[in-house]
Amino acid sequence: MEQKSIVSLRNINVKFDGEVILNNIDLDIRNHEFITLLGPSGCGKTTTLRIIGGFLEPDNGDVFYDGNRINGTPPNKRNVNTVFQKYALFPHLNVFDNVAFGLKLKKLPKDEIKQKVNKMLSIVDLKGYERRSVSKLSGGQQQRVAIARALVCDPDVLLLDEPLGALDLKLRKDMQIELKRIQKMTKKTFVYVTHDQEEALTMSDRVVVMNNGKIEQIGTPIDIYNEPANAFVADFIGEANILDGIMLKDYKVRILGSDFPCVDKGFGENTPVDIVIRPEDIEITTPAEGTIEGDVTGVVFKGVHYEMEVRSKGCIILIHSTVSSPVGSHIGMKVDPNNIHIMRKLFPTPYNEFEAEVTYTDESENTVTIDIEGNEVDLPGYTFEKGTKLRITLPPEGLYVDGDGVGQLSDVYIESVIWKGMHNEIILESDERKWIMHSEQDEQVATYVPICFNFSEASVEVISGEALNED
């Protein structure tokens, strides 16, 4: 039976300074679940949390709490509490008084306050620390005080905004288990924000993967890992080989020139697709037994497995295995059909296709100037009459980011960066369209870059007007 939703977001939209932060977000948060909002910086996860908490009102859309619309309800009137990355404990108060602060504001009787605080300190494993100064506590203990202070007022929903970010690695791992234990014991709804996929997989009942102000996928950790909705989710959750492929027909896909049986269907025939193969799902064989072959270029011992890099037809493939082959050896690789996951591409076409108008022509230089989103860009090798409209097909390699930080199109937003074994597939968004770029250079998601055009491999078609000369 479907679990009851305690918080629902419907068609939530938020803009800051004209930039879309949340784009038509729909989300149901179930009662008593541990749900994590996961994504890169700038994806909108903290903004979503602030809307639930009442610290920010959406430009459009509705927020429902237990079936009632609560738009405009201030934070102190919502049965929701928040734990921030900076715990905001009161340094002049001891542990007991920090936890009791909210109860004292409610003017509860002293005996009731004492009973509630002691019970909560026991739940967070801080019994006996009542009179300790919070400044003398470790980072993990301070976090528990912050959680106890938030929970002691008995909210139905606890919002946690990257509360483990300030802790060291070992303590962070310990606190992941501790947070899940506290959530199960208190039977509260935890809404957790993080960019750390390990935290999300360790603690969550469900994970909400966000990118560029949108929800890419919602599911259990197992579903998100084993059945990612697209290349972005696959890349963000765990390690993965994400490769370009061709879906030849139902149950058969071509990867690196070799045909693999798979269990997917419904993509059509000869359709470009993205392929996800987890490193632990690749079996090392002899070259004769493998579906594809490759040369081992790197081996690192990781404790529970070896991490191997194998170059096959110019593509780097990552393998996790309990046995290794030495660097320089030639191996075969095969994959069980159930472990090949087929996804539709993030970018709908393999090329950039757009229209542009000629604003200037120089017959002596055999060059025209075209208008791209209000920017003048030279197109060499052609001369057309001014005003000629062109349809240009530009391969992904025809876009690049110049090292000097100057481009022909400035402030282009990086929506996703996916390593495809041979190059990064980068999807960008300008004022009027999206672009696809292939680059060996890594770029940071949710940042802005200037891009340049190389039309040497472009296809140019006249829509209206006349070519004066053409090479």
Side-chain angles (χ1 to χ4, degrees):
M1 187 173 68
E2 184 69 20
Q3 203 171 347
K4 177 185 176 182
S5 295
I6 189 168
V7 175
S8 296
L9 305 180
R10 292 289 177 266
N11 302 316
I12 297 295
N13 291 274
V14 174
K15 286 186 178 181
F16 292 151
D17 296 328
E19 180 184 341
V20 176
I21 305 300
L22 293 179
N23 188 356
N24 272 345
I25 293 293
D26 284 307
L27 177 63
D28 288 307
I29 298 171
R30 300 168 184 165
N31 204 14
H32 303 155
E33 77 169 331
F34 195 124
I35 188 168
T36 297
L37 309 182
L38 174 69
S41 298
C43 72
K45 54 189 186 293
T46 295
T47 301
T48 303
L49 203 73
R50 292 179 65 200
I51 286 173
I52 296 171
F55 301 106
L56 177 70
E57 286 296 317
D59 298 330
N60 302 102
D62 296 311
V63 183
F64 295 92
Y65 179 86
D66 203 19
N68 299 310
R69 186 176 181 273
I70 59 170
N71 293 52
T73 303
N76 63 316
K77 299 296 184 181
R78 302 185 183 196
N79 200 15
V80 174
N81 229 328
T82 305
V83 176
F84 299 99
Q85 183 173 347
K86 295 181 179 179
Y87 310 133
L89 300 177
F90 302 111
H92 62 289
L93 300 181
N94 60 27
V95 169
F96 183 96
D97 289 335
N98 261 280
V99 175
F101 185 80
L103 299 177
K104 290 179 179 179
L105 288 180
K106 293 184 176 183
K107 302 186 184 304
L108 296 183
K110 287 185 178 180
D111 288 346
E112 186 176 349
I113 291 175
K114 184 177 181 180
Q115 179 184 4
K116 286 178 177 290
V117 171
N118 287 337
K119 179 181 178 181
M120 190 53 61
L121 288 176
S122 178
I123 289 174
V124 299
D125 204 18
L126 286 177
K127 189 175 181 179
Y129 284 75
E130 292 86 351
R131 302 306 167 194
R132 297 276 186 97
S133 168
V134 292
S135 62
K136 303 294 184 182
L137 301 180
S138 69
Q141 290 169 334
Q142 289 181 1
Q143 186 203 55
R144 293 182 196 185
V145 174
I147 292 170
R149 184 177 64 182
L151 288 174
V152 76
C153 293
D154 200 29
D156 289 328
V157 180
L158 186 65
L159 310 177
L160 302 106
D161 191 2
E162 304 203 52
L164 305 185
L167 305 181
D168 62 58
L169 179 61
K170 184 179 185 304
L171 186 54
R172 194 159 65 240
K173 289 179 178 292
D174 291 342
M175 286 306 301
Q176 290 171 13
I177 306 300
E178 188 68 13
L179 275 175
K180 185 64 177 176
R181 181 190 67 81
I182 293 171
Q183 188 265 333
K184 289 294 185 185
M185 184 175 292
T186 59
K187 297 182 180 179
K188 301 296 184 182
T189 300
F190 278 28
V191 185
Y192 191 93
V193 162
T194 185
H195 62 270
D196 187 320
Q197 53 94 8
E198 182 183 341
E199 287 182 7
L201 295 178
T202 299
M203 297 186 291
S204 310
D205 297 316
R206 289 192 302 154
V207 179
V208 181
V209 184
M210 300 182 67
N211 182 40
N212 201 32
K214 299 178 182 179
I215 293 175
E216 299 284 354
Q217 187 173 0
I218 304 174
T220 67
I222 293 175
D223 290 340
I224 295 285
Y225 186 84
N226 289 334
E227 296 291 332
N230 53 44
F232 173 84
V233 176
D235 183 61
F236 205 82
I237 300 290
E239 294 188 89
N241 296 288
I242 305 176
L243 308 171
D244 292 318
I246 300 293
M247 198 69 181
L248 300 175
K249 58 181 181 179
D250 288 351
Y251 312 117
K252 181 171 286 189
V253 64
R254 180 164 293 164
I255 310 171
L256 296 176
S258 298
D259 296 350
F260 287 76
C262 63
V263 297
D264 293 277
K265 62 179 182 177
F267 289 85
E269 296 186 358
N270 299 314
T271 304
V273 291
D274 283 330
I275 313 294
V276 172
I277 303 174
R278 296 292 181 182
E280 64 271 20
D281 291 330
I282 299 176
E283 181 183 351
I284 300 173
T285 68
T286 64
E289 294 175 318
T291 310
I292 56 175
E293 305 173 26
D295 297 311
V296 179
T297 58
V299 179
V300 178
F301 180 59
K302 292 285 189 174
V304 295
H305 64 257
Y306 292 94
E307 183 174 278
M308 302 168 54
E309 286 189 355
V310 180
R311 181 176 290 274
S312 176
K313 299 182 180 179
C315 182
I316 296 296
I317 297 174
L318 193 66
I319 300 176
H320 290 171
S321 175
T322 55
V323 296
S324 69
S325 299
V327 173
S329 58
H330 189 68
I331 64 170
M333 294 166 281
K334 63 181 181 180
V335 185
D336 185 280
N338 290 289
N339 293 327
I340 298 175
H341 184 60
I342 313 295
M343 304 174 301
R344 298 198 182 277
K345 285 193 163 291
L346 288 172
F347 199 78
T349 64
Y351 300 100
N352 298 289
E353 299 175 346
F354 61 99
E355 295 180 3
E357 183 174 326
V358 175
T359 60
Y360 175 78
T361 183
D362 187 340
E363 291 187 61
S364 64
E365 295 292 335
N366 198 28
T367 298
V368 297
T369 301
I370 57 176
D371 176 86
I372 301 179
E373 299 187 18
N375 297 271
E376 292 192 337
V377 179
D378 286 341
L379 174 62
Y382 299 89
T383 49
F384 299 102
E385 289 182 338
K386 182 180 178 180
T388 299
K389 293 184 178 179
L390 307 174
R391 180 178 291 111
I392 299 174
T393 303
L394 182 69
E397 294 78 12
L399 289 178
Y400 65 96
V401 177
D402 202 327
D404 62 8
V406 177
Q408 295 162 310
L409 206 59
S410 60
D411 294 332
V412 182
Y413 182 79
I414 299 179
E415 185 174 297
S416 69
V417 180
I418 309 293
W419 174 249
K420 289 295 191 72
M422 298 181 183
H423 54 254
N424 286 300
E425 181 180 278
I426 303 174
I427 297 178
L428 311 106
E429 185 173 10
S430 61
D431 291 340
E432 298 180 11
R433 62 179 59 80
K434 292 188 179 183
W435 306 86
I436 182 170
M437 177 173 71
H438 289 172
S439 174
E440 293 184 6
Q441 179 177 317
D442 198 10
E443 298 289 348
Q444 180 64 46
V445 174
T447 59
Y448 292 85
V449 295
I451 59 174
C452 301
F453 297 87
N454 177 1
F455 293 107
S456 59
E457 300 297 327
S459 169
V460 178
E461 176 188 354
V462 176
I463 300 175
S464 65
E466 184 178 345
L468 303 176
N469 182 36
E470 184 176 334
D471 278 354

